[in-house]
Amino acid sequence: MNNKLSAHIGYLFKEVPLGERVASAAAAGFTAVEHPQPFSIGPQVMRKMVDEHGLFFAQLAGGAGDASKGEKGLASLPGREADFRASFDRALEYALIVGAPLIHPMAGVPGDENAAQAKDVYLENIRYAVDQTAGSGARVLIEAISEAAVPGYAISSLQKAIEVQDIFGIEKVTLLVDTFHAAVTEVELTKWIPWNGARIGHVHIADFPGRHEPGTGTLPFNDILSALQAVEFGDAIGFEYIPSNSTVESASFLHDWKLRS
């Protein structure tokens, strides 16, 4: 397995401003960073920062919506197709400049009133994202976000994500597998990964049930790493957890993970 360990700088290093988190991640021993909406920092500036610290930018989101309004994505929302496309185009342009290989078009929470239309709208928006990324060097990434984290999220299970991936093909759409969300939905990744390794393009790590750093909960991370190694997973492992203390203290596990990966 390649040594690609990514700090989600939306969750980690919140002790410092966003513009300082790339340096903090590098100092702590991470080899990559990611953030769903890094747009307050220009792409050229972000690229310079990651290059200066010997990192790479692992993934970002497109069509995330307005966080200040509680939006968790636009891709499944009827009537927001133009907003989704404009946001995705912006994210793709940013990704290509910073060298991010993956863009996650966030599905969002369509609500019961839009349930009948939501799936068709979502698939049309994913088709748009697939068409836009074709030949670009970036690929569409889909994450199943559990109801426990985002009630009503349109893609709330790995099975739903797989169904979408199978429509477009694994060469065009890859999956983000999150250990916390998998545990919430009672998916045992040590059993799931061996059968689905080719589907995975990115992994998120957080323990269960507290969603803190590895070692604070019940998940068998040694076995999960072994399963990823067995399927020759070579893409990035991202750490999207809520630190139980300072980020630097919470990341004390990183040395052992670098040895394993």
Side-chain angles (χ1 to χ4, degrees):
M1 193 190 307
N2 293 328
N3 188 14
K4 300 176 182 177
L5 302 177
S6 174
H8 188 305
I9 54 174
Y11 276 71
L12 306 186
F13 303 105
K14 293 174 75 172
E15 298 90 344
V16 298
L18 181 59
E20 299 177 22
R21 295 178 197 173
V22 172
S24 296
F30 291 97
T31 58
V33 293
E34 57 190 85
H35 193 292
Q37 298 189 75
F39 308 118
S40 63
I41 297 175
Q44 291 86 0
V45 174
M46 180 65 77
R47 181 60 186 259
K48 182 179 180 181
M49 287 195 295
V50 295
D51 287 349
E52 283 179 350
H53 292 285
L55 308 180
F56 76 97
F57 204 101
Q59 62 98 10
L60 70 158
D66 188 341
S68 69
K69 297 179 180 178
E71 291 182 332
K72 297 292 185 179
L74 302 175
S76 70
L77 305 189
R80 302 293 298 279
E81 291 88 346
D83 293 338
F84 171 80
R85 293 185 178 199
S87 178
F88 188 86
D89 290 349
R90 178 192 188 194
L92 176 58
E93 180 181 10
Y94 195 102
L96 296 180
I97 293 172
V98 300
L102 300 169
I103 306 173
H104 172 207
M106 294 185 69
V109 181
D112 292 342
E113 69 278 11
N114 294 315
Q117 298 173 273
K119 183 174 181 180
D120 289 343
V121 169
Y122 178 73
L123 292 177
E124 273 305 304
N125 281 328
I126 296 301
R127 190 174 305 281
Y128 177 83
V130 166
D131 290 345
Q132 294 303 108
T133 54
S136 71
R139 189 160 49 146
V140 172
L141 178 71
I142 292 178
E143 179 181 16
I145 298 178
S146 64
E147 292 268 354
V150 181
Y153 195 77
I155 304 297
S156 56
S157 69
L158 279 170
Q159 184 55 42
K160 288 182 179 180
I162 285 172
E163 290 168 3
V164 176
Q165 186 182 44
D166 284 346
I167 291 171
F168 297 97
I170 62 174
E171 71 282 358
K172 296 178 180 178
V173 172
T174 191
L175 299 188
L176 193 168
V177 176
D178 184 293
T179 60
F180 173 81
H181 295 312
V184 168
T185 55
E186 299 184 342
V187 173
E188 292 186 50
L189 289 180
T190 54
K191 297 179 180 179
W192 187 90
I193 291 169
W195 294 98
N196 295 281
R199 295 184 179 277
I200 308 169
H202 195 70
V203 174
H204 270 168
I205 298 297
D207 216 330
F208 177 83
R211 206 176 183 183
H212 301 304
E213 65 271 14
T216 57
T218 63
L219 293 183
F221 285 110
N222 283 335
D223 294 338
I224 290 171
L225 272 175
S226 294
L228 289 169
Q229 288 171 326
V231 298
E232 299 182 344
F233 177 77
D235 295 305
I237 296 175
F239 294 86
E240 186 191 65
Y241 64 81
I242 301 166
S244 63
N245 42 41
S246 75
T247 301
V248 171
E249 290 173 321
S250 77
S252 61
F253 65 85
L254 197 59
H255 175 72
D256 291 338
W257 277 67
K258 293 175 83 168
L259 293 177
R260 282 294 309 272
S261 60

